[in-house]
Amino acid sequence: MSFKLGFVIGRFHHIHSSHEKMIHTALETCDRVILMVGSSQESGTVRNPFNLYTRMNLIREVFECEIREDRLLLAHTDDMTHEGDNSVAWGEFLLGKINMWKAHYGIQEDVDCFIYGNDEDRASWFKPESIEKVSHIILSRKADNLSATSVRKLLIADDRTAWKANTPTAIHRKYKEIREELMAINYYKSQEELLCQK
């Protein structure tokens, strides 16, 4: 392992195979990883349908051993202002949250590696001096051609086979309750009705 403490952040609506690969990459290259679930205050919306409890519990299902061994440390954060706020102020807010969770877990080491997808340059969130000793592992989001949006479309279509092909095996038995939570939202219910009309 090259790094002491890695950091991964995402909204995880909900965890899918590309997320799983990114987290495994973090665990393979870091002694320990803080996994922060973002937009923790949001649920029941188009972009943030699942509540924090659901999102974190699905991650626990997939990484049960790593969490038990204190190698994967679950955390969460609300948005500073709104989800699209990727300013330097957000970066400083996030570093404060990281320090809060480090204290919660009794961690002395500083984060020395960020792991994320190439959909956005997360280094731009921070002042250069705040992350000058932090390495970055950037994974191609196009390699898997998979997103939470596409996985949710499979839930709308009730395509359990395709959904299973794109999600971690550990959550397959949760299909019904995951779909029920999604379909309780008016937008997703209306999308299902449109599919039925075709």
Side-chain angles (χ1 to χ4, degrees):
M1 296 183 201
S2 303
F3 304 102
K4 291 288 185 185
L5 184 62
F7 177 70
V8 175
I9 186 170
R11 291 179 303 116
F12 303 103
H13 280 284
H14 60 78
I15 187 169
H16 53 65
S17 297
S18 187
H19 291 142
E20 182 184 27
K21 184 166 85 173
M22 178 172 64
I23 297 164
H24 274 303
T25 298
L27 288 164
E28 287 164 5
T29 53
C30 304
D31 291 336
R32 290 196 289 180
V33 175
I34 295 174
L35 177 65
M36 189 170 287
V37 178
S39 298
S40 62
Q41 83 289 357
E42 284 281 336
S43 66
T45 66
V46 175
R47 270 188 57 77
N48 296 291
F50 298 103
N51 66 55
L52 180 64
Y53 178 84
T54 296
R55 290 183 274 159
M56 293 189 77
N57 275 349
L58 292 175
I59 294 166
R60 286 186 184 100
E61 293 278 347
V62 180
F63 292 97
E64 180 184 2
C65 291
E66 293 84 354
I67 292 168
R68 188 172 58 247
E69 294 166 356
D70 288 330
R71 294 203 51 236
L72 185 65
L73 310 168
L74 289 188
H76 57 82
T77 183
D78 53 343
D79 297 321
M80 182 180 72
T81 53
H82 58 84
E83 183 191 320
D85 184 357
N86 294 332
S87 63
V88 171
W90 157 248
E92 293 302 303
F93 173 82
L94 188 57
L95 289 173
K97 291 286 187 172
I98 291 170
N99 286 333
M100 182 189 83
W101 283 101
K102 279 175 49 184
H104 171 79
Y105 283 111
I107 297 171
Q108 301 302 315
E109 298 89 0
D110 289 326
V111 169
D112 55 358
C113 185
F114 290 163
I115 303 93
Y116 53 93
N118 65 348
D119 52 328
E120 58 183 314
D121 180 12
R122 299 194 175 188
S124 66
W125 294 356
F126 306 100
K127 295 175 183 175
E129 61 270 22
S130 296
I131 58 166
E132 61 185 356
K133 295 180 181 178
V134 179
S135 296
H136 301 262
I137 297 175
I138 304 171
L139 304 176
S140 172
R141 289 290 294 268
K142 293 182 179 178
D144 300 318
N145 197 28
L146 184 62
S147 69
T149 302
S150 61
V151 170
R152 292 196 297 271
K153 285 179 180 177
L154 298 175
L155 289 167
I156 295 168
D158 202 10
D159 189 342
R160 188 186 298 239
T161 301
W163 179 84
K164 283 184 172 182
N166 290 286
T167 55
T169 304
I171 69 167
H172 288 176
R173 63 189 178 84
K174 300 278 189 178
Y175 177 83
K176 183 180 177 186
E177 58 195 82
I178 292 168
R179 186 172 190 273
E180 283 177 355
E181 183 173 341
L182 186 73
M183 302 314 293
I185 299 165
N186 288 336
Y187 170 82
Y188 290 101
K189 188 66 179 171
S190 69
Q191 294 300 300
E192 180 187 35
E193 290 166 357
L194 287 173
L195 276 179
C196 293
Q197 291 169 11
K198 291 183 180 179

